[in-house]
Amino acid sequence: MCTSLIMHASDGSTLFARTMDWHPFGATALTLPQQYQWHSIVNPQRALINPYQVLGVGHNIPNLHADIADGINECGLAVQKLTFNQPNSISTFTPQPQQHKIQLAPFEVVTWLLGNCQSIADVITQLPKIQLIPDLNQKHAIFGQTLHYAITDSTGQFINLIPQNEQLIVIDNPIGVVTNAPNLNKEIAKLDQFLDLTVPPTHLNAIAGDDFNGKKTMPGGFTPSARFIRTTILKEHAIVPANEQDNLIETWHILNSVTVPKSRQRSDTYTLYRSAVDLKSYRLYFQPYDAVGISVYDFPQL
């Protein structure tokens, strides 16, 4: 599962927020320094060095490297990984390393992008360097083989990266909401049943009017489509926050609607945490499932 959204405030600050719905893995706030050196699980012989400092949420995998699930780097690039409801998307990827490329397991992509890219434009330029290889080590299966990625930067652009035909494909996302469904265009088409889509979607403007005549009510449940629709409706009809603090309050209330509680009738997946980074202050907000308050982390001084 997982739900991601971007929220803009009138003072120019922007929050990139998410729920992390998964099996427990000990997530915490992490900082990776400039020149952080690590080795991919799928090519342990090659040393990788991240030029840029990173602040995010993740955990340190014993005897391997830090695994960042979402965060921001010193250049203002912000990336998140989410599960992807297309189980065969990684199965066609070749396990044979191509010497001129950088081999990464799907769960390692965020750590590499944040450590090596300055912006969305830079991500797109560097994507051809990456060779995605399935992680066949069952010990790390919890980190997921079928993932996609939500990315934004200081320009306000918002994209998804999805695995397809042995590549990571860039999908422009004008809605600013991501869940786990494999076809964004189909999810956007479903919105017409619930919203008055009066203007072409853009990154910074509302996409919906206030006419609800003949429209369905907001769906419940925690399916990818239900969470996508519910988050988009609440985002579109939210007030415009005045500043970063107000934006955090509004964003957290929207995330309340898609936060998955623990349940004895479901697997051990639930909303492990909620997090957000502000693209103006570079501040990280982090709230684990069992915490009432939100922890705040400032980006380290460079």
Side-chain angles (χ1 to χ4, degrees), residues 38-40 43-49 98-103 129:
W38 57 293
H39 297 259
S40 168
N43 188 356
Q45 291 76 36
R46 180 176 184 175
L48 301 174
I49 299 176
Q98 300 174 27
Q99 294 303 314
H100 63 290
K101 292 196 174 186
I102 298 167
Q103 288 76 42
K129 296 181 181 179

Side-chain angles (χ1 to χ4, degrees), residues 109-281:
V109 169
V110 173
T111 302
W112 191 86
L113 290 178
L114 287 174
N116 289 269
C117 300
Q118 300 180 17
S119 62
I120 286 178
D122 194 17
V123 168
I124 294 171
T125 298
Q126 298 210 51
L127 279 182
K129 296 181 181 179
I130 297 175
Q131 182 188 9
L132 214 57
I133 295 182
D135 168 23
L136 302 180
N137 187 334
Q138 292 303 308
K139 189 168 62 173
H140 300 294
I142 190 173
F143 309 121
Q145 296 287 14
T146 54
L147 298 172
H148 64 161
Y149 312 91
I151 306 178
T152 190
D153 62 16
S154 59
T155 66
Q157 186 179 2
F158 193 101
I159 65 169
N160 300 351
L161 289 185
I162 65 169
Q164 181 178 302
N165 298 326
E166 299 198 17
Q167 302 176 64
L168 285 170
I169 304 298
V170 177
I171 306 294
D172 190 60
N173 185 333
I175 305 298
V177 174
V178 184
T179 57
N180 317 102
N183 192 315
L184 178 64
N185 287 332
K186 287 184 178 179
E187 296 300 287
I188 293 175
K190 294 174 186 176
L191 292 174
D192 191 52
Q193 303 174 64
F194 303 90
L195 289 169
D196 177 30
L197 300 178
T198 58
V199 296
T202 65
H203 296 290
L204 302 177
N205 300 319
I207 63 169
D210 296 321
D211 184 1
F212 292 98
N213 290 329
K215 298 296 182 181
K216 294 182 179 180
T217 58
M218 220 167 30
F222 295 108
T223 66
S225 290
R227 287 181 285 110
F228 180 86
I229 292 165
R230 199 155 64 243
T231 302
T232 303
I233 290 173
L234 293 174
K235 168 183 160 74
E236 285 303 309
H237 294 291
I239 65 168
V240 178
N243 52 44
E244 181 179 336
Q245 189 60 38
D246 289 347
N247 202 0
L248 177 67
I249 293 169
E250 296 307 315
T251 299
W252 243 241
H253 280 297
I254 293 174
L255 291 181
N256 284 341
S257 75
V258 291
T259 296
V260 181
K262 293 180 181 179
S263 172
R264 66 178 184 273
Q265 295 180 328
R266 195 176 49 246
S267 69
D268 66 343
T269 60
Y270 58 93
T271 298
L272 303 180
Y273 67 82
R274 302 187 290 185
S275 67
V277 292
D278 187 89
L279 301 182
K280 187 176 181 181
S281 69

